[in-house]
Amino acid sequence: MSVLADPSLEQEVTLLELVDRVLNKGVVLRGEITLAVADVDLVYLGLNVLLASVGTLERIELEAV
Amino acid sequence: MIALYAVALELVDLPAVTGVDGAAIARIRSRGLDLVFSSHDAPAAASDRAVLEHARVVDAVAASAGALLPARFGHGYEDEAALERAAAAAAPALRAQLERVRGCVELGLRAVGPGAGEPPAARSGREYMERQRARVGECDRLVRDIDGPLLSLAKQGTRSMASQPRFSLAASYLVEPARIPAFRRRVAELERAHPALAFACTGPWPPYSFAEIEA
């Protein structure tokens, strides 16, 4: 299975996971991200082990500003 | 009002980070528990930035505490006295949770399946129900296949599953750091065994999914 090397998707999934944890279990505030992930042809989507710390996310956010 | 970030044990120093909206963080020590909070004129609105600011404080406190229970964003109290009263009332339960998560991190797992597509119209109510039952049974089997091998590497786990509109599993595991490599290898094995599913393994996180700060 191929590994999807799309940094922006990794960032989105990681942010979704963080928001989900910090706000509450099961809160789907950013459900559109989950759907966006699932809309990618899943045969080609192999999100591999994903690592990000909050520090990484902050850098991402600062770079985006 | 007071916004709580974490309940910790053996917090040496308050880390040099600011809280949500740049507020200074402070702590109260009560019955051996360190309560880390900031004061605000009004509750902060949930935004990506505010959530990151909250998570940054939790991460920093986790790095200098013996054990930590993260509070959810927006877990607020009227004032310091109210926070202290609530923590005192819940102290035994909080302490038990802190001992359970001590030395462990949380790993997250999501597994998402392809959409099932529009099924052909059922000819009868019975046929519809039987299809639904088969679909849920298939998803339950997938959860067991994925969750079982991961749970055996964890101290504890939580999971929630949806079968519609597509299979979707969201699970969290409380894992000793030494077992993280084995956990990731097992996720990779599951990924190979289930090529139709997309997997995302995230973390390590502070143990958000294993903290119940009801107070």
Side-chain angles (χ1 to χ4, degrees):
Chain A
M1 188 177 202
S2 69
V3 172
L4 186 90
D6 179 343
S8 67
L9 185 56
E10 284 197 0
Q11 287 163 20
E12 286 205 346
V13 172
T14 308
L15 186 59
L16 163 72
E17 291 288 313
L18 175 71
V19 168
D20 199 35
R21 282 179 168 72
V22 173
L23 284 185
N24 211 339
K25 279 169 280 188
V27 170
V28 190
L29 180 74
R30 298 173 66 93
E32 73 276 13
I33 292 178
T34 310
L35 292 177
V37 171
D39 280 344
V40 176
D41 189 346
L42 289 165
V43 175
Y44 299 102
L45 176 63
L47 277 179
N48 218 348
V49 173
L50 182 58
L51 280 175
S53 66
V54 173
T56 314
L57 286 171
E58 283 182 333
R59 274 202 308 283
I60 292 162
E61 196 170 70
L62 289 175
E63 283 162 11
V65 170
Chain B
M1 61 152 297
I2 297 288
L4 182 67
Y5 297 92
V7 178
L9 283 179
E10 299 141 27
L11 177 62
V12 183
D13 291 315
L14 205 53
V17 290
T18 54
V20 173
D21 291 339
I25 60 167
R27 72 165 160 187
I28 301 173
R29 181 164 275 175
S30 172
R31 303 191 182 205
L33 302 172
D34 281 299
L35 314 166
V36 180
F37 66 93
S38 59
S39 301
H40 301 264
D41 295 333
S47 65
D48 284 358
R49 182 166 290 281
V51 165
L52 282 171
E53 286 166 345
H54 178 96
R56 183 177 57 188
V57 175
V58 172
D59 274 11
V61 175
S64 52
L68 165 135
L69 298 174
R72 305 286 174 167
F73 180 86
H75 199 107
Y77 299 85
E78 197 178 331
D79 52 27
E80 289 183 35
L83 168 61
E84 203 169 347
R85 274 197 307 277
L94 292 171
R95 198 169 273 285
Q97 290 182 59
L98 281 158
E99 291 305 334
R100 196 170 61 224
V101 303
R102 185 192 281 276
C104 291
V105 296
E106 176 176 331
L107 295 178
L109 182 88
R110 286 206 186 225
V112 182
E118 277 299 304
R123 280 171 306 202
S124 65
R126 180 183 170 142
E127 188 182 320
Y128 175 80
M129 292 307 288
E130 280 174 354
R131 264 192 219 156
Q132 288 294 103
R133 196 172 60 186
R135 168 92 187 128
V136 172
E138 189 187 319
C139 291
D140 284 342
R141 269 194 303 282
L142 268 179
V143 171
R144 280 198 300 275
D145 285 357
I146 295 168
D147 183 56
L150 296 176
L151 199 53
S152 68
L153 289 172
K155 199 169 174 185
Q156 200 179 338
T158 68
R159 70 209 60 78
S160 61
M161 184 273 278
S163 60
Q164 300 287 350
R166 51 169 59 79
F167 172 74
S168 173
L169 168 68
S172 295
Y173 300 90
L174 194 60
V175 178
E176 290 168 8
R179 286 189 150 180
I180 293 176
F183 189 95
R184 291 199 181 120
R185 278 197 299 276
R186 200 157 287 180
V187 171
E189 286 163 20
L190 289 167
E191 209 169 353
R192 284 194 293 276
H194 299 279
L197 302 182
F199 285 83
C201 179
T202 60
W205 306 101
Y208 283 101
S209 303
F210 302 92
E212 294 290 340
I213 305 178
E214 300 290 348

